[in-house]
Structures are given as structure tokens and as C-alpha cells.
Amino acid sequence: QLACPLDLGCHSVQHQHRKPMQTIAIAQMLSNMLYHKRFFPYYTFNLVAGVDENGEGCVFGYDAIGSYERLKWGASGSGEALIQPLLDNQVGFTNQTMAQVRDLPLEETLDLIKDGFTSAGERDIYTGDSVEIAIITKDGVRFERFELKRD
């Protein structure tokens, strides 16, 4: 019920301006849509991820009524409580006194995401049997499906 109006809005803006919407504009549009329904909210806790105008990755996290913030990394959904601490520790190096803070290469990041979802899938029945990972780079988007349960 939320994806269709968001998709329609993105296509409308793209048609009017003859170029794709920037991630920051999509983030603001979603915020406006959620806020418009604040009295009868969707009760979705969304993430918008993409590449900003400077070519850097960006993630925006939302509450149910459209308040949002730009994040370095984020998780949302039933497995959030299991995945977010892993991201904080392994991506943000929080609570590590001797950690060498560094940017993770793409393959190492993918392995970390797969490990996080595998762990969440084992402990949370709502996480599901597979995850579709969107790999967003300045060159475009590609999708990778990863099976969590093989039984």
C-alpha cells in the first residue's frame, strides 16, 4: 500500500524532469507520504538507501510517522535487534578500543550482511527463508538472492 504511491511519485518526477530522482529527494518524498498518513499510519519502519549527489552511499531510517535521519548504516524489520548490533560492531567499530577503523571492501561487506541475516534467520522466525540483497554502487544496482535456510 505504500510502495505503489512511492513508485508512482518517483516515476512522475522522473517524467516531469527527465532524469531519475536523487536518493535524498526520494527520502524526503517518503517522509512526506508517511507524515501525511500520521493519524492512520502505515506502521512501517523503512530504510531508503542509495548514492547521493557526491557519489557516496547514504541510508535514511524512518519511524512510523515520517521522521527520518541519515545514517551510516542501518537495519529495519523483525531481525533489526539481531543485525544492528553486528553492524555497529563490525562496520562502525563501536565499543572496540583497539580497532582499526577502515572502509570495508564490497565482498567483505556482502559476507558480513549474509552472516548477519543467517544469524537472524536462525533466531527469528519472521526473518524468512531468503534475503534479496541490493548492491548499490555509483555504477548502478544489482540484486543478489541469498538462501538463509537450506532444510
Side-chain angles (χ1 to χ4, degrees):
Q1 206 172 15
L2 177 61
C4 287
L6 186 62
D7 191 43
L8 183 64
C10 289
H11 280 82
S12 176
V13 170
Q14 183 173 348
H15 181 71
Q16 288 175 346
H17 298 281
R18 301 201 187 325
K19 63 180 182 179
M21 283 184 74
Q22 293 183 356
T23 305
I24 293 171
I26 295 170
Q28 182 63 53
M29 180 187 288
L30 177 57
S31 176
N32 293 345
M33 288 179 170
L34 291 171
Y35 186 74
H36 176 73
K37 295 280 290 179
R38 68 190 175 279
F39 297 115
F40 299 100
Y42 289 107
Y43 285 109
T44 61
F45 297 87
N46 303 285
L47 289 177
V48 170
V51 179
D52 67 12
E53 64 275 359
N54 300 322
E56 295 183 22
C58 56
V59 178
F60 297 91
Y62 296 80
D63 68 5
I65 59 168
S67 295
Y68 71 107
E69 67 177 321
R70 186 171 178 159
L71 308 166
K72 293 273 189 188
W73 57 86
S76 184
S78 65
E80 176 182 4
L82 300 167
I83 296 173
Q84 189 65 47
L86 176 70
L87 294 176
D88 291 341
N89 185 271
Q90 296 298 305
V91 177
F93 301 101
T94 56
N95 299 321
Q96 295 185 34
T97 55
M98 303 297 283
Q100 213 50 9
V101 178
R102 62 186 176 90
D103 289 335
L104 297 175
L106 179 59
E107 290 307 316
E108 193 174 331
T109 303
L110 280 172
D111 289 342
L112 178 66
I113 296 301
K114 290 174 183 177
D115 288 346
F117 272 101
T118 300
S119 179
E122 290 174 359
R123 291 166 181 78
D124 175 38
I125 62 170
Y126 300 110
T127 297
D129 296 333
S130 65
V131 62
E132 187 174 33
I133 302 169
I135 302 159
I136 305 168
T137 65
K138 62 183 177 191
D139 300 322
V141 180
R142 69 181 169 93
F143 294 91
E144 185 175 309
R145 185 177 180 88
F146 179 65
E147 298 296 326
L148 298 175
K149 298 182 174 86
R150 298 188 178 127
D151 48 0

